[in-house]
Amino acid sequence: MKKFLFVTAAAALAMVGCSDSGASGGGEEFPQKNLEVVAPASPGGGWDLTARSVQKLLQDNDLVEENITVSNKPGGGGEVGWKYLQGQDAHTLAVNSSLLLTNELLGSSELTYEDFTPLATLATEWQSLAVAPDSEYQSLEDLMNQMKKDPSSINIGVGPALGNDDHLSLVQAAKEFGVDPKKLNFLVYEGGGDVVTALLGGHVDVVTTSLSEVKEQHLADKVNILAVSSSERLEELDDVPTYKEQGVDMEFPHWRGIMGPPDMTEEEIAFWDEKLGAMVETDQWNEVMENNDWSGFYKNSEETQQFMEEQHELYTTLVEESGMAK
């Protein structure tokens, strides 16, 4: 009898062990330790702001109990931070953007979006095309017609490098209008502020840049925004038409999102889906977007996977059409 009871107890313990090991694929409910959000850049700027906003809102709204730290890992246009993420588990996330796609397409990285687990697309800035108030080009059609007639006659300011969203948004617009993007004359500056300064100084005819770089200048009548890349006019700039309503069929988001390391479990993905989905519904998140001229662009993990596939296909085409494919 004693032998029988011993065997039964051992079997029961084994069954409990097997049951526990199945939770979140490891034995304990997720998360099991402190959390980390990687900003793959130095403090300041969009990636860092996104990471710190996620950290603050998840904690302030009691969406997670664990402590969250932000780690800045600059270098390689995101490469350093994203390589770090590859070696972590689901307790570490990283901010991403279209550079995750274009770095590989331009030959500067071997990393692709398929090396990570997409978790969310959070927000977007929209792209803009702006000229001086006294420019001879007072509409998108005026400008595009001149580009079609003589692409090299227009000096276009862009920064900080070709292949970014500022550049590729105009590549797409030009292609849609029937202009050969390879023949356009881009002048590259160090950043958005320098691009706008060049426009104000008369050194370029037009700039393609994030809306936040020219919004206040437009409201002060110092520049004239000819088009924005959103699907509808923006409430705060209802005098500015979209590309679409001017006959250029495109919508071009300058998005930022969150991804995790490879091989996350369904339970881990579901955890972050719930928490990030709740975060974007808070009043504080709406304030972050308003304060930084972002627009709501939330997509959950499944939607983000599909979105990344679509964006990869689009950016592949745009990089090829710009003549920069490697």
Side-chain angles (χ1 to χ4, degrees):
M1 176 67 80
K2 290 182 180 178
K3 183 176 180 180
F4 176 79
L5 290 173
F6 174 78
V7 172
T8 302
L13 287 172
M15 291 176 63
V16 171
C18 289
S19 176
D20 285 347
S21 66
S24 268
E28 296 181 35
E29 186 176 346
F30 181 84
Q32 302 165 18
K33 58 184 180 181
N34 290 338
L35 305 168
E36 178 183 26
V37 182
V38 176
S42 301
W47 281 342
D48 181 64
L49 176 61
T50 303
R52 294 185 187 281
S53 297
V54 169
Q55 173 201 38
K56 179 174 173 56
L57 270 62
L58 287 177
Q59 291 185 326
D60 287 359
N61 289 279
D62 297 323
L63 293 172
V64 297
E65 296 179 1
E66 293 70 22
N67 184 50
I68 306 175
T69 59
V70 170
S71 299
N72 291 93
K73 298 188 180 296
E79 178 91 353
V80 172
W82 295 332
K83 278 192 172 181
Y84 168 80
L85 177 65
Q86 273 192 307
Q88 307 305 308
D89 63 20
H91 295 83
T92 299
L93 311 180
V95 179
N96 64 12
S97 71
S98 62
L99 282 180
L100 180 65
L101 308 176
T102 55
N103 284 354
E104 185 259 334
L105 294 171
L106 294 170
S108 61
S109 174
E110 295 183 357
L111 294 176
T112 76
Y113 73 97
E114 295 176 319
D115 293 323
F116 303 95
T117 303
L119 294 176
T121 310
L122 295 178
T124 184
E125 267 191 279
W126 297 108
Q127 300 297 132
S128 65
L129 197 64
V131 297
D134 59 353
S135 171
E136 61 183 291
Y137 310 110
Q138 290 297 305
S139 70
L140 180 65
E141 184 177 12
D142 291 341
L143 180 65
M144 288 294 182
N145 282 334
Q146 178 59 31
M147 286 182 176
K148 183 180 287 189
K149 179 180 177 181
D150 184 3
S152 64
S153 66
I154 305 293
N155 292 325
I156 307 164
V158 66
L162 297 181
N164 67 358
D165 279 359
D166 297 350
H167 171 225
L168 294 179
S169 64
L170 186 54
V171 167
Q172 184 177 11
K175 187 68 177 180
E176 293 286 344
F177 201 85
V179 177
D180 184 355
K182 296 185 183 71
K183 296 181 179 179
L184 294 177
N185 185 29
F186 288 98
L187 302 181
V188 180
Y189 293 84
E190 290 188 4
D194 295 319
V195 168
V196 176
T197 299
L199 178 63
L200 297 175
H203 304 297
V204 295
D205 301 303
V206 59
V207 298
T208 173
T209 187
S210 296
L211 181 61
S212 60
E213 298 287 355
V214 290
K215 176 183 173 182
E216 296 306 319
Q217 302 281 10
H218 175 84
L219 294 174
D221 295 325
K222 293 182 178 179
V223 305
N224 180 24
I225 302 175
L226 298 181
V228 291
S229 65
S230 52
S231 59
E232 299 177 351
R233 291 199 186 199
L234 302 174
E235 183 178 348
E236 67 272 23
L237 289 171
D238 59 5
D239 63 318
V240 178
T242 65
Y243 277 103
K244 277 189 174 183
E245 66 184 279
Q246 298 180 88
V248 178
D249 187 17
M250 63 172 267
E251 176 183 345
F252 200 106
H254 178 53
W255 51 269
R256 293 189 183 93
I258 291 284
M259 62 186 182
D263 303 322
M264 287 176 59
T265 67
E266 291 183 6
E267 291 84 359
E268 291 164 348
I269 294 171
F271 173 87
W272 285 116
D273 257 343
E274 177 188 350
K275 303 307 180 182
L276 294 171
M279 182 195 76
V280 299
E281 294 296 327
T282 63
D283 291 339
Q284 294 98 316
W285 179 250
N286 289 329
E287 290 174 9
V288 169
M289 290 196 296
E290 183 177 348
N291 291 340
N292 294 283
D293 290 317
W294 297 350
S295 295
F297 206 63
Y298 175 70
K299 301 177 189 300
N300 66 20
S301 59
E302 183 177 353
E303 294 164 337
T304 297
Q305 174 65 42
Q306 180 179 347
F307 177 66
M308 294 290 274
E309 292 169 1
E310 294 168 351
Q311 287 285 284
H312 185 263
E313 182 178 351
L314 170 64
Y315 278 98
T316 299
T317 300
L318 294 179
V319 168
E320 289 175 351
E321 289 176 344
S322 71
M324 299 182 67
K326 299 296 183 182

